[in-house]
Amino acid sequence: MPLNDKRLNSTSSGEDLGSDVESTSERYDSLTSSSDLDCSRESFTSDCSSKHCTPSSSPPKTLTLDEVIKSARDLSRLSLAHEITVNQNFQLEPIGLPQESLMKLIRDNVHKAFWDILESELSDDPPEYGHAVRLLEEIREILLSFLNPGANRMRTQIMEVLDMDLIRQQADNDAVDIQGLASYIITTMGKMCAPVRDEDVKKLQESTENIVKLFREIFRILDLMKADMVNFRIVNLRPVLQRQSVEYERATFQSILEKTPNALNNTTAWIKSALEELQASIPSDRSQGKDQRIVPGPLQILGVAFLQILTWDYNRNPLPETWITDEVRLREIQWKLQQHQALTEVLLIVHSTIGGPIQGVSALSERLKRMITVLLDGMHSGDLNLKEALEGISAQICCELNKSLTERNYPPLTPALQGTLKGQICSITEEDNPIRTLVEDRVQQYFVALICDPKPQAKLEQVPAGLTAIKSELAVIGARYISLVNYNKAVYGPFYADIIRKLLFNSHPPAGSSTESMAQESLSSD
């Protein structure tokens, strides 16, 4: 049974999906405001005189190895600061090497050799304390590293009990109370550890294992405590970073750019692509007998660019440098969006093909939605064959439909209708599929509305016709993406402004106001 406009009008939600898809030019018009176009030249005639936020335009130079390493460190710090700022759940975990890996094998063998030597030395008669002394010295430094600057009393106590000069003298005279020192270390760990480690420390206190195994467990818990301490400091640092994050990230990226002048090549190519796409859709101004192309505004150009990020092909094009710190989040948003688009396409096909017998049956729609979502959960994995997955989904849908129809005294689907339904569902893998085109266009409309609105939060729940089935999911994705866009624009606005100005006018502006002022006027969102 073919899909057509008449069929599409009979969805379960009663939405009118028979209207024509919004044209490309209309979509780009919605990204433009009159003030944006009016101020496009004015916004890019100011000088980038503020060194703190001015994108560097130094000529290319040969970098030394030290400069490359320093730039890499700057990028690493930038990525870490950004992750702490935007990811409320960010935590550092103790490093775990993959099982069966060479590095893990080497590390485990080195550790085993150390503990074997320690056990052998302590078993000698008289005992040898060389490795034990080094072990106690390392533990002392770890415990001291946990102390706050003002904890002088605890610091003094640790230094007195774990007095390495005294312990070495005792070792020379075979008078080291190794069990007593271990007991003190465990008690001190109990005073310093986070509540989540209380149970681990309690097990250490109750341990009856030999001294070597006890020290191995002490080191294991100390490693966990080090991670706890770092994460505690991250939690305390986050509010400070959030207050200073825009300035910090912008200044850090500026320093990277000064050392690596080509650090914006991918970003420039991205914005240039958006500009070319936009210019191809904007009609020429033929007023006063002239055929002059309208110059798009910076917000309009960035709006198209941000839409491109949503459908970015990571296999063909490198991500713009200004988005590198958010790549994992962007990929997750993209595959979630693809998953929900495919879900919507399947549901539209089901309702338009079957029509009346399932219209308004919300329980069936919810059951189909949950089932399809689970079966499409692997879309982010390169191992998923979408066509095969859709074949399995269509078979499951036919079973669910027949069950629902039979329960409500309707005849089951005929073999011919089941074949049509399966064929329609599997055909959404084709790029020119009308249902796929419709849904993708409506999703684009949704994100256009969010990107160009100064207060997008009010529009998160306003989804276009046909997308009601994923309204709540779209709102979550939309809020997350707009948050990333606004933060990215706040940090890199001056760099975008400089790139757009050069692309539009191919010249350096005369001296004037700073790039920061230009960015605030042209690129900052409310």
Side-chain angles (χ1 to χ4, degrees):
M1 187 177 297
L3 290 171
N4 50 47
D5 289 342
K6 184 175 180 181
R7 270 295 189 184
L8 287 175
N9 287 332
S10 60
T11 62
S12 61
S13 59
E15 295 165 327
D16 180 13
L17 299 179
S19 59
D20 292 334
V21 174
E22 181 185 24
S23 67
T24 303
S25 61
E26 289 173 335
R27 179 182 301 157
Y28 290 140
D29 286 344
S30 66
L31 285 166
T32 315
S33 65
S34 59
S35 59
D36 189 23
L37 291 175
D38 292 340
C39 75
S40 60
R41 279 189 181 275
E42 183 179 350
S43 300
F44 291 98
T45 56
S46 57
D47 179 34
C48 306
S49 60
S50 175
K51 179 171 179 58
H52 179 64
C53 63
T54 302
S56 172
S57 56
S58 306
K61 64 177 182 179
T62 303
L63 298 176
T64 66
L65 179 59
D66 287 343
E67 288 174 324
V68 172
I69 292 174
K70 192 170 188 310
S71 294
R73 288 172 180 165
D74 288 342
L75 183 59
S76 177
R77 285 197 295 269
L78 174 63
S79 299
L80 180 59
H82 182 79
E83 196 69 27
I84 292 172
T85 301
V86 303
N87 184 359
Q88 297 294 323
N89 299 317
F90 175 74
Q91 285 190 331
L92 292 178
E93 299 290 342
I95 297 175
L97 297 175
Q99 292 292 334
E100 310 300 330
S101 68
L102 179 60
M103 290 300 296
K104 186 176 188 304
L105 181 63
I106 293 173
R107 187 197 66 180
D108 291 348
N109 284 336
V110 170
H111 287 186
K112 183 177 184 302
F114 174 86
W115 295 113
D116 286 347
I117 292 172
L118 177 64
E119 186 166 21
S120 175
E121 287 184 349
L122 294 179
S123 300
D124 287 345
D125 189 15
E128 176 65 42
Y129 292 102
H131 278 69
V133 169
R134 286 192 288 273
L135 192 72
L136 291 169
E137 189 170 16
E138 185 174 349
I139 291 174
R140 184 185 73 168
E141 295 308 311
I142 294 173
L143 292 177
L144 291 174
S145 72
F146 292 153
L147 296 176
N148 292 323
N152 296 325
R153 182 177 178 181
M154 179 71 77
R155 185 181 304 276
T156 300
Q157 186 186 78
I158 292 173
M159 293 294 289
E160 288 177 352
V161 176
L162 297 177
D163 183 337
M164 301 315 301
D165 290 335
L166 177 60
I167 290 174
R168 288 188 183 93
Q169 292 176 14
Q170 293 172 341
D172 292 339
N173 295 284
D174 190 19
V176 178
D177 182 8
I178 196 77
Q179 193 72 47
L181 292 173
S183 178
Y184 170 76
I185 289 168
I186 294 170
T187 301
T188 305
M189 289 169 61
K191 296 176 182 178
M192 294 179 166
C193 71
V196 70
R197 305 297 168 205
D198 286 344
E199 191 63 31
D200 292 323
V201 174
K202 183 179 179 181
K203 289 179 181 178
L204 286 178
Q205 292 170 333
E206 298 171 352
S207 176
T208 57
E209 295 180 325
N210 67 48
I211 193 66
V212 174
K213 291 183 178 179
L214 180 61
F215 270 107
R216 290 189 71 163
E217 275 300 293
I218 286 174
F219 262 91
R220 186 183 71 83
I221 305 304
L222 285 174
D223 281 342
L224 296 175
M225 288 175 61
K226 284 191 282 186
D228 294 338
M229 181 61 69
V230 171
N231 290 324
F232 174 74
R233 288 170 179 166
I234 286 174
V235 170
N236 289 328
L237 180 63
R238 182 173 286 118
V240 179
L241 277 178
Q242 287 174 336
R243 289 194 296 269
Q244 307 292 334
S245 59
V246 170
E247 290 296 324
Y248 173 79
E249 290 193 34
R250 187 187 300 163
T252 304
F253 191 82
Q254 174 66 47
S255 69
I256 294 172
L257 191 59
E258 288 170 354
K259 300 182 188 73
T260 316
N262 62 350
L264 279 173
N265 284 3
N266 296 334
T267 302
T268 301
W270 163 55
I271 294 178
K272 183 179 180 182
S273 171
L275 175 60
E276 291 172 349
E277 183 180 335
L278 187 57
Q279 286 176 329
S281 68
I282 296 178
S284 300
D285 183 6
R286 292 184 172 83
S287 61
Q288 300 177 351
K290 296 180 180 179
D291 188 2
Q292 184 177 3
R293 186 167 294 279
I294 297 174
V295 178
L299 292 178
Q300 190 180 11
I301 296 169
L302 284 181
V304 175
F306 292 140
L307 280 178
Q308 288 183 351
I309 292 293
L310 274 174
T311 56
W312 196 262
D313 188 342
Y314 294 89
N315 295 322
R316 297 181 58 184
N317 300 307
L319 197 64
E321 296 88 351
T322 55
W323 281 104
I324 290 296
T325 51
D326 284 312
E327 180 172 354
V328 173
R329 280 173 284 275
L330 291 174
R331 284 178 179 265
E332 184 179 353
I333 286 173
Q334 187 182 86
W335 81 258
K336 283 281 188 185
L337 202 55
Q338 291 171 346
Q339 180 189 45
H340 294 311
Q341 285 177 175
L343 165 67
T344 304
E345 291 155 14
V346 171
L347 290 178
L348 286 176
I349 288 171
V350 169
H351 285 288
S352 63
T353 303
I354 307 304
I358 63 171
Q359 190 167 351
V361 186
S362 58
L364 174 62
S365 296
E366 284 300 315
R367 191 159 65 247
L368 291 178
K369 179 180 175 180
R370 288 194 299 270
M371 180 192 73
I372 296 168
T373 300
V374 170
L375 295 176
L376 289 176
D377 195 47
M379 282 190 70
H380 64 290
S381 170
D383 299 331
L384 179 73
N385 185 314
L386 182 57
K387 187 146 191 169
E388 290 181 0
L390 290 173
E391 288 175 358
I393 287 171
S394 60
Q396 290 281 349
I397 287 174
C398 287
C399 291
E400 288 292 335
L401 289 175
N402 282 332
K403 179 181 176 182
S404 176
L405 290 171
T406 302
E407 289 174 351
R408 291 180 293 110
N409 298 321
Y410 282 97
L413 303 179
T414 64
L417 188 54
Q418 290 188 46
T420 298
L421 183 60
K422 291 178 180 178
Q424 294 281 7
I425 291 173
C426 292
S427 69
I428 66 172
T429 57
E430 301 168 4
E431 291 188 7
D432 59 348
N433 179 276
I435 296 295
R436 174 175 173 174
T437 302
L438 175 71
V439 171
E440 289 179 353
D441 190 81
R442 295 289 168 85
V443 169
Q444 288 276 303
Q445 289 178 37
Y446 175 76
F447 280 97
V448 165
L450 295 182
I451 289 172
C452 68
D453 196 296
K455 296 182 178 179
Q457 296 297 326
K459 291 198 172 184
L460 288 174
E461 299 286 339
Q462 299 176 19
V463 301
L467 304 183
T468 303
I470 56 169
K471 179 179 178 179
S472 58
E473 291 84 357
L474 264 185
V476 172
I477 295 173
R480 191 176 180 194
Y481 185 62
I482 290 302
S483 175
L484 291 178
V485 165
N486 288 338
Y487 187 81
N488 180 275
K489 199 165 26 171
V491 174
Y492 298 105
F495 301 96
Y496 295 152
D498 191 60
I499 292 170
I500 294 172
R501 185 201 69 226
K502 291 174 182 176
L503 289 173
L504 287 176
F505 307 117
N506 197 28
S507 63
H508 294 282
S513 59
S514 70
T515 303
E516 187 171 12
S517 298
M518 173 181 64
Q520 289 174 348
E521 293 172 3
S522 322
L523 299 178
S524 296
S525 59
D526 292 338

